[in-house]
Amino acid sequence: MGANRHMSVDSRGRYTPEAMGEAMPGSEGPTGSRSHNLLSTRRASLMQEPVLVLNATYEPINVTAVRRAMVLMLKGVAQAEEMHNAEVHSAAHAHRVPSVIRLLAYRHIPQQSRALSRKNILLRDRNTCQFCVRVFPSSELTLDHVVPRSRGGRSTWENLVACCYRCNNSKGDRTPEEAGLKLARRPRPFTLHTSRQLMRLIGHRDERWRKYLFY
Ligand SMILES: [Zn+2]
């Protein structure tokens, strides 16, 4: 169990299963209370370990937590493809803990399944100010309209970037060129491709994920 795996964007701007979630299989809905009780465990941190979720076609589509993954398995929605070396115990049984699960029915994933939101922009930009290229906690970042709203710049994936307050102040109501700032990279919509890059970031320490993510 990696003690340094967290379940939200932490102060160093790393991304985690919870942050990956939203409208993707494996992360929606509350867990059923029956399953939840069955899986009650003292090893709460193990239950929060990230689990890679594959589509029925073995395509990686999401990251969820052990607890949620085991509920999906109990419901017959998913099966384990790779296991952890750990177990959790309910009253009567020991359950092996999955590291990778696969949905049994194919789930169509829309090309762009992420809502335009502050959280998702920060996630896409990996909590990195797109002008000074430094990583900040979410609370120290704002969203910058690359082309300012006063110039007709719109609130779109392509015109919004994560920006620290310092850069935001020095840019003011100007375009990056006018302010002598350069974008780290061209902002793009958050797609499954982006999600997969984040899955790799989360999963690079787990060898059992590699064959699904690095190809
Ligand atoms: Zn900055």
Side-chain angles (χ1 to χ4, degrees), residues 129-134 136 141 163-168:
C129 171
Q130 293 299 294
F131 296 109
C132 65
V133 202
R134 287 168 58 207
F136 292 90
L141 286 165
C163 183
C164 74
Y165 286 103
R166 192 154 162 243
C167 290
N168 193 241

Side-chain angles (χ1 to χ4, degrees), residues 157-170:
W157 284 105
E158 292 84 357
N159 196 47
L160 283 168
V161 292
C163 183
C164 74
Y165 286 103
R166 192 154 162 243
C167 290
N168 193 241
N169 279 333
S170 73

Side-chain angles (χ1 to χ4, degrees), residues 60-144:
I61 50 173
N62 196 16
V63 176
T64 191
V66 163
R67 180 184 300 281
R68 175 77 186 146
M70 292 184 79
V71 168
L72 291 175
M73 286 163 61
L74 283 171
K75 285 179 172 173
V77 173
Q79 69 178 33
E81 292 292 331
E82 307 284 338
M83 304 301 285
H84 259 293
N85 299 321
E87 288 181 339
V88 290
H89 299 269
S90 60
H93 299 100
H95 302 264
R96 287 196 69 198
V97 171
S99 168
V100 178
I101 61 169
R102 183 170 65 94
L103 300 178
L104 295 178
Y106 179 77
R107 193 80 74 101
H108 175 70
I109 309 294
Q111 259 313 301
Q112 190 179 326
S113 57
R114 301 289 169 134
L116 180 66
S117 66
R118 170 185 153 83
K119 184 182 143 190
N120 282 338
I121 299 266
L122 298 188
L123 194 57
R124 179 198 64 187
D125 293 343
R126 299 180 188 183
N127 274 48
T128 306
C129 171
Q130 293 299 294
F131 296 109
C132 65
V133 202
R134 287 168 58 207
V135 176
F136 292 90
S138 300
S139 60
E140 291 174 30
L141 286 165
T142 184
L143 297 186
D144 180 66

Side-chain angles (χ1 to χ4, degrees), residues 27-44:
S27 55
E28 77 274 7
T31 57
S33 57
R34 233 180 96 237
S35 313
H36 186 273
N37 292 338
L38 180 62
L39 294 175
S40 288
T41 173
R42 282 161 295 173
R43 307 182 68 175

